[in-house]
Amino acid sequence: MHSHHPFDLTNESAYRRWRDDKLRQAPQRAEELIVEIQDPAQLTPAEQGQMRQAIQRANMVLFACQRPFTDHASLSALSAQFGLQRLDNHLCTDEDGISNLQVSDQGHKRHYIPYTNRKINWHTDGYYNPLDKQIHGLALYCAQQAAEGGGNKVLDHELAYIRLRDANPDFIRALSQPDAMGIPANDVEGEVLREATLGPVFSVDASSGALHMRYTARKRNIIWPDDATTQAALAELDDLFSEDAPPIFSVRLEPGQGLLCNNVLHYRDAFTDDPQRGQTRLYFRARYYDRIV
């Protein structure tokens, strides 16, 4: 019995149709993803239409506000217009559920790389979350940029899936196993802040039929099966990440610019702040259990 969705490995014709359509629409330049907006809290129908078109093509859109904002509420209001409501409150969010990503040595933040100036390897957000609290929607916004560095790379996870499935369908089979990627419990000074999680890299969202990916390229504290197929699949992903050409896009957001996406793969360069000149990198980040609708 074939299912109709293209991510079923037994349904090659559905996959081919979806794949060809996806590749035909895929942007070739980051500029194709940029939409200029006036008021993030109240998009015009034209702005929202352009943003939806980019998301439909690439699972993401880069937005550029004509008047940069400096408050979390504007990011929440923008996200809500795309059905993103259920925020992932975690250790490092503010009370409103949105994080300020900046260099910090305070509290729990000092233990986590996003709150340093170091590079962050390829990942999808919340890959360590329990399976019933997966991150499907993500909004990032640049309030202040670093003096140097701090650029991002982004990659539509559906294109990563195509790369792996075309190379060897068994790569998808291996990475769809319920024990494909394990994350140990987060234990800080004897306090368990997060339980261990075990789950697939690729899964299909039951309600939308959309492809979901949970993944990190970091090497420490990640438990992968040591079978040859899984290891070859991970090597194929590493090869893809090293190419630094479409479908990978390099973007350095300026203040007033942001990314709204279905939790695509992304990477952050290391950066250098210059507090004397007011160049300290500050991003707002909102993570949602919802997918963009």
Side-chain angles (χ1 to χ4, degrees):
M1 180 75 184
H2 289 317
S3 71
H4 295 301
H5 71 71
F7 310 114
D8 177 354
L9 288 169
T10 66
N11 193 337
E12 188 64 19
S13 60
Y15 169 64
R16 286 282 147 194
R17 281 194 303 275
W18 171 82
R19 173 192 179 276
D20 294 348
D21 201 39
K22 179 80 186 178
L23 293 176
R24 189 173 63 248
Q25 292 186 60
Q28 298 306 305
R29 300 173 308 120
E31 289 74 19
E32 295 176 58
L33 294 171
I34 300 172
V35 176
E36 301 230 349
I37 63 174
Q38 295 279 345
D39 178 1
Q42 211 167 0
L43 297 170
T44 67
E47 289 167 347
Q48 192 170 141
Q50 285 180 284
M51 290 180 71
R52 286 187 184 284
Q53 189 178 28
I55 293 162
Q56 200 255 322
R57 291 175 67 195
N59 275 306
M60 62 182 126
V61 63
L62 299 169
F63 60 89
C65 302
Q66 303 225 315
R67 290 187 302 281
F69 59 85
T70 55
D71 62 306
H72 290 179
S74 294
L75 189 61
S76 290
L78 175 69
S79 303
Q81 292 166 85
F82 294 88
L84 301 181
Q85 303 274 2
R86 295 178 300 148
L87 277 159
D88 178 45
N89 279 290
H90 56 88
L91 287 170
C92 301
T93 59
D94 286 3
E95 286 177 11
D96 60 9
I98 294 178
S99 307
N100 284 343
L101 296 185
Q102 59 190 343
V103 176
S104 174
D105 57 5
Q106 302 300 306
H108 290 302
K109 290 183 177 180
R110 67 185 190 278
H111 299 296
Y112 301 108
I113 292 179
Y115 305 96
T116 70
N117 62 358
R118 309 207 306 271
K119 81 163 192 185
I120 305 178
N121 213 334
W122 286 98
H123 67 286
T124 59
D125 264 39
Y127 58 84
Y128 39 73
N129 276 22
L131 297 185
D132 62 346
K133 291 189 171 175
Q134 286 294 293
I135 304 303
H136 293 274
L138 173 67
L140 281 174
Y141 175 76
C142 176
Q144 290 177 185
Q145 190 49 280
E148 284 178 42
N152 293 98
K153 294 176 190 170
V154 289
L155 169 62
D156 183 347
H157 55 288
E158 291 181 353
L159 295 177
Y161 175 96
I162 288 172
R163 170 72 168 256
L164 289 173
R165 184 159 170 175
D166 286 358
N168 184 347
D170 285 341
F171 290 167
I172 301 299
R173 196 167 278 113
L175 293 183
S176 301
Q177 296 303 312
D179 62 351
M181 186 174 83
I183 317 289
N186 181 9
D187 184 334
V188 176
E189 294 154 9
E191 182 189 0
V192 177
L193 300 178
R194 178 182 37 73
E195 299 292 336
T197 52
L198 188 65
V201 171
F202 290 115
S203 57
V204 177
D205 181 48
S207 57
S208 65
L211 183 73
H212 177 63
M213 186 176 187
R214 62 182 281 277
Y215 173 81
T216 175
R218 63 180 293 185
K219 303 299 182 212
R220 287 180 52 223
N221 294 334
I222 309 298
I223 303 159
W224 296 102
D226 61 4
D227 66 281
T229 307
T230 300
Q231 294 302 315
L234 297 175
E236 185 74 28
L237 275 174
D238 282 341
D239 285 350
L240 172 57
F241 296 144
S242 70
E243 288 175 9
D244 213 7
I248 291 171
F249 297 123
S250 294
V251 293
R252 189 176 190 269
L253 299 178
E254 296 302 329
Q257 297 180 339
L259 168 73
L260 186 69
C261 71
N262 284 320
N263 200 5
V264 297
L265 288 154
H266 51 288
Y267 170 104
R268 182 185 85 185
D269 289 322
F271 62 89
T272 306
D273 282 339
D274 185 348
Q276 265 67 46
R277 298 171 61 188
Q279 294 175 316
T280 53
R281 190 179 192 273
L282 170 62
Y283 271 45
F284 302 156
R285 182 186 65 194
R287 306 204 286 208
Y288 296 92
Y289 302 139
D290 311 298
R291 187 181 157 82
I292 293 168
V293 292

